[in-house]
Amino acid sequence: MSGFAVGEPINVTLSVFNKGLGNAYSLVVNDDNWKSDKFRIVSGGNNFTLDYLNAGSDYWHEFTVVPIKKTWHRVRGAKMACVIPTAPSRSSMRLYSVRPASVPMSI
């Protein structure tokens, strides 16, 4: 990717899709790509939670970062954890990686 510059805002969108047949509960998404020595978060937040996401639904979360120094930066997928019921009487915790897996950036 190119076209990024120090001091110029970058809009980031995290997309979460529930393609399963059941609802997902207690979703926690952490995007730790935006270290304070390289970026400043100027709008929104890079982490979020959802109480639930219904089967077949999606959710979009947006925030804005500004690079504060010229560097190469690799953006990895955000981490997401959620509870997905596997039987009426118990639940399991599953950990997923939100796409894209990796995006190189030259700033």
Side-chain angles (χ1 to χ4, degrees):
M1 289 189 152
S2 62
F4 299 107
V6 171
E8 294 295 322
I10 300 171
N11 296 317
V12 180
T13 302
L14 300 176
S15 307
V16 181
F17 301 91
N18 183 351
K19 294 191 175 190
L21 299 176
N23 297 339
Y25 299 93
S26 302
L27 290 90
V28 177
V29 178
N30 295 310
D31 186 354
D32 59 1
N33 285 291
W34 316 104
K35 303 294 183 197
S36 61
D37 63 329
K38 295 180 182 179
F39 297 92
R40 189 168 34 100
I41 299 173
V42 296
S43 175
N46 55 320
N47 303 319
F48 67 94
T49 60
L50 295 172
D51 291 335
Y52 63 90
L53 188 61
N54 292 328
S57 295
D58 54 43
Y59 179 81
W60 305 80
H61 177 80
E62 298 178 342
F63 61 98
T64 303
V65 299
V66 174
I68 58 175
K69 69 179 181 181
K70 188 172 179 72
T71 186
W72 276 94
H73 183 69
R74 183 167 296 278
V75 178
R76 307 224 183 260
K79 293 176 180 62
M80 180 184 77
C82 64
V83 175
I84 301 174
T86 56
S89 62
R90 57 180 249 219
S91 298
S92 67
M93 179 66 84
R94 298 191 182 172
L95 182 64
Y96 296 93
S97 179
V98 180
R99 291 183 185 171
S102 181
V103 178
M105 295 173 62
S106 174
I107 300 171

